Each structure stands twice: as C-alpha cells, then as structure tokens.
C-alpha cells in the first residue's frame, strides 16, 4: 500500500514460449495500480532475465507473404466455433494476442482478468509506408464479470519495428 | 389446432411442388483471352431471361468465368460462345447428377455414423447428443434416459440414470453445460458417460461404485443456450428466458440457486452475463434439478462442470468463509487434482470458490452443500485462456480422460 498513490505489486514471473514449450525465461515486474481511478492504466515495469527466441525467419516470411497479397486480407472468427485456426492465419492470431495484451493492460484494475476469447474480424489495410496494418475487432473475455467485450484495435507491424497498437 | 395443421400442410405441399431441380443444367468454365471477350460475357450476364448463375463473374481476362446454365439456355449460350470464338470447357455435364450423388454420400455417411461409434472427439449439436443418449440407454441395461423437466423454450432436460439395482441407493449427481458456451463440458460429459457404461463389469472401481451407488448425469443442463451457441452466438452463457421489462434475454443459471441469492458476485442487471434473475429458482432449468434432487433424496455428491481455468472448487462462493468440512474437501480436492495431473501434466488449482476464482452468489454447489450434500465440487476444465471457450476439438478426449481420473478419485471417496 502506498498512501495516496495506490497498490504496488512485486512479481516474479516465468515466461513460457507457446511455440517452444521447453524454453522458459524468468522475469521480474513491478505493477502499480493507481488509487480509485478507472481512467488510467496500471504502471508496469518489466525486466526480462534471459533471451527470447529469435523469430527473424518467420517474421520475414510472414511480412513478405502479406505484402505480396493482391487483395487485402480479411478474416473472421479466429479460432472458429470448434477451436480451429487455419495455419496461414496463425500469425494473425498471434498478432491479435499482442493487441489484446495492450487492451487488457489499458483497462486492468485489481478486479479484472482479461483473456482474448476470439478475433471476431480482421481486415488488412494496405499502406504506402513499410508497415503492415491490421484493423481488428477483438472479443475480450473478462473473468470476474464473465462479460465478452468487443474492442476495435488497429495494429501496425514491421519485422524490425515490432507491433504498435492503437485503439 | 386443425386450422394450423391445414395451413402447415398446404405450405409444405406448396414448397414440395416448386422444389427446384437442376436436371440438364450445365456448368461451363469460360477462358477469356482479352477485354473484348470479358465485355461479351458481361453482356451475356445482363440477359436476365437466360437465368444464368455466375459462380465466378467475368471481371478480368486472366480469371476464369464459371457459370451455371439452365437446361433451356444451354444450347443457345454455347452457340453464342462458339460464334464469338470464346473458349470454354464443361465443368459439370448435369448438375442434378452431382447433387443426387452428394445427397447419397451424405445419407450413407449419416448411416455409417448411426451404426458405428459416436465421435467423442468432436463437438456435436443438441440433436446429435440426444441421439447418443438414446444409443447408450439402448445398449446398456443399467443405463436409462429420464426426463426431469423442460427448458424455457420447452426442450426436454434429459438425465442418464446409471443404476444396477437396489431401491433409492445413495447417489452421485453430475451436470455439464449449465453455461452453454463452455462446449468442452458437454463433450466431456458424453465421453465420461460412455466410459462409465462400458467400464462396468470390467473396471474394478467403476463396478464397485455402480454396485453400491446410482449415478445421475445431466450432460446438457442448458439446452436453450446450447442451441443458441450453435445457431446465433457461440459466446452465449445464460438461459434464454424473457425478462419482464427488459430487452435483454437470459439469466445466469449459476447465480440463480437459492444460496446467498442476490448477494455480492452476481448482477441485478438483466443485460449482464452474470444476471441472477428475478428470484431464486426462477429459471426452470435450475428448478427442475432442485426438485429432482429434493424429491429423490439420498444424494451424497453434487458435481458440476464448467470451463475454463483448470480449477477444482468446493463451497463457498457466496461468502468468503470456509465450509465446516473444509479440511476433508480440501484434501479430497488436492487428491483429485493430483490424479488429473498424473495423465498429461495438466495442473489444477484447488480451493473454495471465493478464494480460487471470485465471490459468486447463487451458485449450484453452495446450494447443494447447504442442503446436506457434503461432496459438492465444481470443475473448471481446460484451458487457462489460450483458447478459452473455443477449445480445439482435439483436446476434448484428453480433457475428458484426465477429468475422469479426478472424478473417480472423488467418487471412490464418496463410496
């Protein structure tokens, strides 16, 4: 408890790579939830101790594949009702997770727990610069209220510049 | 009622008389060489009396054009194409033949499915599940399908009763699918039903259990919601009851039980996914179970399946204090979680509802516990959020198998 400021949590985490189960990386984090307000996101400081796997090859391949599409990519319901994700849409799914992480962070309080339930809709928007742009409608599941909340998010992505999310 | 019957009959008659057939219809693939030819096809497209059905419309010279031509227009369209020197090939000689074959294939496949095994590793519709319940009841003499009530939209609430005899033996209750979007629960319940039925007589534990106790299994506790997840909204959780004075539909059936009803951890707003309803047991899906259990009596365990989170919980949810039997339930819960983990390494958190997930009033196991059913547990099955409600079908059987081990642990203790 920090008087007049909020609640601070000190965490020790293990990051598991979903695509590489044997690799786990330790992290430490400090999370500060501001007092009372529902308008500002918690402050997060994260230190990663160890190395994350390089994804250069896969990133480049995905980037080139999307850039060379004649028609802009459009997809919905990822995963579908039965939990299936077509292999070529898996990177789109992963990017959605990044976006949902951002939305969760911006909207988290000590009484919320968010998960990405489904990508309802995603549309690629061709750009004149080097970034890839995807406009998503994400369904976020909030555990405490059990509500499914739709969120519109735009993600810009580039192999060297990473992901940038805006709501 | 008679007027209605006549109306329905004549509607059906009318529909069958103008049933569309595709006898003699051909599907052509046209390969255009230039813009001029594309324009010719677009002209053709505009001639409505030909009733052409373009499966791929003419747009650019590089792309093929696929078109379905009714029997009456086939000759004239071909004549036109040939006179313009436009190349084409016949994709389908007679569409009706193709459709007839497809229908036959589907019927054969359905026939094969009916006589062979039910695919427990796939998600099914309500009708398919009910058919499998009938199948189990007909295959095993100690399995009976009973109806304990009707849903709001008048769908039967079917329970499988496993009983090898006796009169009103001590019983175990198990339900799944009270929250309709939690598809792995109904699916797992079905696998478990089949497992218990087929293991009786060969597995020592199951045999000993059913020789002493009865088991009641409700695989789809919320059939209206379940159908809705198939037809309209995969993420639907609640019942489908109309709420007076609101445009919103449905009550959270696991906030509707008479245990701390209306307290913290449930919403009084009809549009909320955790709306507790106008009063305890207002939902017929809940009341039917309450009445059945009270009327039969002698239940020793009340177990319910939810997803997701991988948790095994016991009371209380409506208050954050420990139940009297805390020590025993905690210990049994840990043993069950251990059994679950032994198969594939899936880890479960164990504890009271309030401490493990959140405070929630009006939940089913709180009601059962406060009504004398000591062994009251709620399972939250796989996963922990990667797929959540949309758990891939290939995880159904692993989930069911590991959950079964936990269930067995509990049932052996109850016995």
């Amino acid at each position: 408890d920090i008087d007049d400021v909020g609640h601070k949590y000190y965490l020790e985490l293990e990051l598991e790579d979903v695509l590489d189960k044997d690799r786990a990386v330790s992290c430490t984090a400090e999370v500060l939830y501001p007092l009372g307000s529902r308008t500002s996101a918690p402050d997060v400081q994260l230190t990663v101790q160890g190395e994350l796997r390089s994804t250069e090859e896969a990133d480049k391949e995905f980037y080139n594949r999307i850039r060379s599409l004649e028609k802009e990519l459009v997809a919905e319901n990822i995963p579908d009702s039965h939990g299936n994700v077509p292999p070529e849409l898996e990177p789109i799914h992963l990017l959605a997770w990044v976006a949902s992480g951002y939305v969760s962070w911006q909207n988290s309080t000590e009484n919320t727990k968010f998960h990405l339930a489904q990508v309802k809709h995603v549309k690629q928007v061709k750009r004149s610069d080097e970034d890839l742009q995807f406009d998503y409608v994400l369904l976020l599941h909030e555990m405490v209220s059990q509500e499914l909340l739709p969120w519109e998010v735009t993600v810009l992505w580039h192999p060297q510049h990473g992901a940038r999310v805006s709501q | 009622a008679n007027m209605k019957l006549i109306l329905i009959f004549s509607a059906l008659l009318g529909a069958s008389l103008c049933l569309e057939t595709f006898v003699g219809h051909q599907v052509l693939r046209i390969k255009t060489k230039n813009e001029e030819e594309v324009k010719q096809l677009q002209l053709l497209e505009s001639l409505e009396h030909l009733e052409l059905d373009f499966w791929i419309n003419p747009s650019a010279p590089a792309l093929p054009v696929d078109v379905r031509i009714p029997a009456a227009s086939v000759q004239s369209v071909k004549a036109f194409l040939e006179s313009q020197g436009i190349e084409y090939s016949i994709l389908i000689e007679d569409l009706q033949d193709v459709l007839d074959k497809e229908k036959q294939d589907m019927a054969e496949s359905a026939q094969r499915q009916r006589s062979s095994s039910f695919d427990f590793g796939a998600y099914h519709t309500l009708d398919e599940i009910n058919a499998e319940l009938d199948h189990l009841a007909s295959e095993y003499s100690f399995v009976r399908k009973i109806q304990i009530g009707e849903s709001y939209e008048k769908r039967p609430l079917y329970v499988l009763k496993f009983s090898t005899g006796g009169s009103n033996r001590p019983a175990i209750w198990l339900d799944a699918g009270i929250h309709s979007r939690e598809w792995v629960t109904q699916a797992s319940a079905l696998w478990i039903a089949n497992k218990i039925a087929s293991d009786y007589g060969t597995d020592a534990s199951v045999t000993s259990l059913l020789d002493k106790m009865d088991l009641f299994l409700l695989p789809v506790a919320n059939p209206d919601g379940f159908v809705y997840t198939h037809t309209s909204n995969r993420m639907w959780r609640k019942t489908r009851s109309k709420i007076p004075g609101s445009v919103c539909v449905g009550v959270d059936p696991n906030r509707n039980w008479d245990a701390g009803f209306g307290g913290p951890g449930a919403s009084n707003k009809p549009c909320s996914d955790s709306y507790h309803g106008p009063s305890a047991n207002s939902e017929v899906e809940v009341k039917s179970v309450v009445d059945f259990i009270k009327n039969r009596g002698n239940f020793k365990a009340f177990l319910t399946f939810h997803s997701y989170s991988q948790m095994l919980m016991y009371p209380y949810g409506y208050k954050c204090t420990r139940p009297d039997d805390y020590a025993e339930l905690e210990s049994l819960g840990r043993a069950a979680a251990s059994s679950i983990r032994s198969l594939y390494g899936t880890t479960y958190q164990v504890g009271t509802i309030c401490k493990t997930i959140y405070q929630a009033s009006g939940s089913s196991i709180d009601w059962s516990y406060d009504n004398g059913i000591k062994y009251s547990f709620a399972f939250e099955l796989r996963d922990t959020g990667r797929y959540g409600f949309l758990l891939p079908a290939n995880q159904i059987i692993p989930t069911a198998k590991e959950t079964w081990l936990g269930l067995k642990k509990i049932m052996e203790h109850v016995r």
Side-chain angles (χ1 to χ4, degrees):
Chain A
D1 270 357
I2 305 180
D3 279 343
D4 298 331
V5 179
H7 299 144
K8 198 171 209 189
Y9 294 81
Y10 296 85
L11 306 166
E12 283 172 21
L13 313 165
E14 269 233 334
L15 225 59
E16 184 193 73
D17 189 340
V18 161
L19 300 176
D20 186 4
K21 288 286 165 77
D22 294 328
R23 188 186 277 257
V25 176
S26 300
C27 308
T28 55
E30 284 179 19
V31 181
L32 173 62
Y33 287 101
L35 259 189
S37 71
R38 273 142 124 282
T39 54
S40 69
D43 184 74
V44 179
Q45 303 297 323
L46 179 79
T47 316
V48 180
Q49 289 140 358
E51 266 188 31
L52 298 173
R53 172 174 68 94
S54 163
T55 54
E56 227 183 276
E57 276 284 325
D59 287 350
K60 219 167 39 171
E61 197 202 80
F62 171 63
Y63 183 75
N64 289 333
R65 174 161 64 90
I66 301 293
R67 289 281 281 195
S68 64
L69 286 177
E70 277 211 13
K71 271 185 76 179
E72 280 132 334
L73 182 147
V74 174
E76 26 180 53
N77 294 337
I78 307 168
D80 66 16
S81 285
H82 297 223
N84 298 317
V85 179
E88 69 272 13
L89 288 181
E90 188 57 38
I92 302 289
H93 188 211
L94 295 173
L95 210 51
W97 269 100
V98 175
S100 74
Y102 177 82
V103 174
S104 305
W105 167 41
Q106 291 298 301
N107 293 280
S108 283
T109 70
E110 285 156 285
N111 297 306
T112 59
K113 186 169 176 184
F114 291 100
H115 288 117
L116 175 63
Q118 191 182 42
V119 177
K120 205 67 198 135
H121 194 267
V122 59
K123 185 183 70 185
Q124 180 199 357
V125 177
K126 286 204 176 177
R127 297 173 65 88
S128 50
D129 62 21
E130 290 200 333
D131 282 331
L132 297 183
Q133 177 180 336
F134 297 98
D135 290 351
Y136 283 96
V137 175
L138 303 177
L139 268 187
L140 254 59
H141 176 223
E142 202 287 294
M143 196 62 86
V144 179
S145 65
Q146 285 294 323
E147 301 292 341
L148 260 297
L149 310 157
W151 286 92
E152 287 182 358
V153 217
T154 292
V155 181
L156 297 178
W157 184 80
H158 183 275
Q160 269 91 58
H161 308 147
R164 282 135 289 144
V165 182
S166 58
Q167 268 178 248
Chain B
N2 271 334
M3 255 326 277
K4 215 176 183 180
L5 220 58
I6 293 170
L7 275 171
I8 295 171
F9 182 72
S10 31
L12 278 174
L13 194 64
S16 63
L17 287 178
C18 43
L19 193 63
E20 246 195 304
T21 82
F22 296 92
V23 176
H25 290 218
Q26 289 199 350
V27 179
L28 302 185
R29 169 155 289 181
I30 305 171
K31 296 195 190 71
T32 48
K33 294 188 280 291
N34 50 49
E35 280 288 354
E36 178 59 42
E37 291 188 357
V38 173
K39 285 205 174 59
Q40 297 281 55
L41 291 182
Q42 286 169 338
L43 176 67
L44 209 59
E45 204 180 355
S46 67
L47 303 174
E48 287 183 16
H49 67 278
L50 293 176
E51 291 185 48
L52 300 179
D53 172 20
F54 282 82
W55 290 3
I56 303 178
N57 296 79
S59 56
L63 298 167
V65 173
D66 289 350
V67 57
R68 174 179 65 79
I69 309 171
S73 307
V74 170
Q75 286 320 311
S76 42
V77 171
K78 281 181 173 172
F80 171 78
L81 294 173
E82 284 159 26
S83 72
Q84 301 297 311
I86 300 177
E87 274 179 39
Y88 69 90
S89 57
I90 301 176
L91 275 188
I92 299 175
E93 282 266 6
D94 188 320
L95 187 56
Q96 191 58 43
D97 283 348
V98 173
L99 293 173
D100 289 343
K101 175 98 188 13
E102 185 185 41
K103 205 172 193 176
Q104 199 186 356
D105 284 346
M106 282 175 69
E108 281 169 15
S109 162
Q111 177 68 280
R112 255 180 283 121
Q113 286 210 28
R114 265 197 297 280
S115 48
S116 74
S117 314
F118 180 84
D119 185 359
F120 292 100
Y123 290 113
H124 291 276
T125 62
L126 184 64
D127 288 341
E128 288 165 355
I129 290 174
N130 284 338
E132 178 58 17
L133 297 183
D134 284 331
H135 178 245
L136 286 171
S138 70
E139 236 197 277
Y140 299 96
S141 58
F142 55 92
V143 179
R144 243 147 298 163
K145 186 184 87 170
I146 60 178
Q147 181 172 345
I148 64 166
E150 268 182 353
S151 69
Y152 182 82
E153 291 174 345
K154 304 273 179 275
R155 294 185 174 86
L157 296 168
Y158 287 133
V159 167
L160 281 186
K161 174 182 178 180
F162 296 76
S163 178
T164 60
S167 103
N168 224 51
R169 286 178 174 169
I172 296 173
W173 171 268
L174 176 58
D175 67 66
I178 193 170
H179 288 140
S180 37
R181 62 189 178 201
E182 299 165 8
W183 276 19
V184 71
T185 65
Q186 301 96 333
S188 296
L190 238 43
W191 183 92
I192 286 168
N194 183 64
K195 179 74 176 155
I196 295 174
S198 52
D199 267 11
Y200 178 72
T202 51
D203 177 277
S205 178
V206 173
T207 308
S208 157
L209 178 82
L210 286 185
D211 279 345
K212 293 200 185 68
M213 302 184 74
D214 288 348
L215 175 73
F216 293 87
L217 169 54
L218 172 61
V220 187
N222 179 6
D224 295 348
F226 187 58
V227 169
Y228 200 71
T229 60
H230 278 272
T231 58
S232 308
N233 180 355
R234 175 62 178 82
M235 297 297 181
W236 191 259
R237 165 184 167 89
K238 303 188 285 182
T239 60
R240 292 292 303 163
S241 57
K242 306 250 179 309
I243 303 164
S246 177
V247 298
C248 288
V249 174
V251 168
D252 183 341
N254 206 30
R255 301 287 185 278
N256 189 245
W257 300 71
D258 195 4
F261 177 83
S267 172
N268 61 1
K269 297 186 180 35
C271 299
S272 165
D273 253 343
S274 51
Y275 174 52
H276 51 54
S279 58
N281 299 324
S282 63
E283 300 315 281
V284 63
E285 293 83 356
V286 170
K287 181 135 199 338
S288 302
V289 175
V290 170
D291 288 346
F292 178 76
I293 288 181
K294 277 185 156 162
N295 290 337
R296 189 214 179 261
N298 206 15
F299 275 88
K300 297 295 172 217
F302 184 98
L303 311 167
T304 181
F305 282 173
H306 289 261
S307 78
Y308 57 92
S309 284
Q310 289 169 209
M311 295 168 175
L312 179 49
M313 297 171 286
Y314 48 89
Y316 286 106
Y318 71 83
K319 54 186 177 181
C320 294
T321 52
R322 292 174 171 179
D324 287 341
D325 299 289
Y326 168 76
E328 188 184 357
L329 294 177
E330 172 71 17
S331 157
L332 180 54
R334 287 192 181 284
S338 212
S339 303
I340 292 174
R341 193 174 63 243
S342 71
L343 196 55
Y344 301 110
T346 306
T347 53
Y348 267 61
Q349 283 174 267
V350 179
T352 65
I353 294 177
C354 182
K355 282 278 144 67
T356 311
I357 194 165
Y358 40 55
Q359 191 172 13
S361 57
S363 77
S364 63
I365 65 168
D366 284 357
W367 169 81
S368 60
Y369 186 76
D370 279 350
N371 277 268
I373 304 176
K374 175 158 62 153
Y375 299 102
S376 293
F377 285 95
F379 288 72
E380 288 275 0
L381 305 182
R382 289 196 196 179
D383 60 10
T384 52
R386 173 136 191 240
Y387 288 96
F389 302 121
L390 306 180
L391 195 70
N394 61 15
Q395 287 198 44
I396 295 174
I397 294 182
T399 302
K401 281 184 166 169
E402 70 194 9
T403 307
W404 170 234
L405 295 182
L407 223 54
K408 258 214 287 197
K409 221 352 159 252
I410 294 175
M411 299 200 297
E412 282 161 8
H413 184 91
V414 174
R415 190 184 69 211

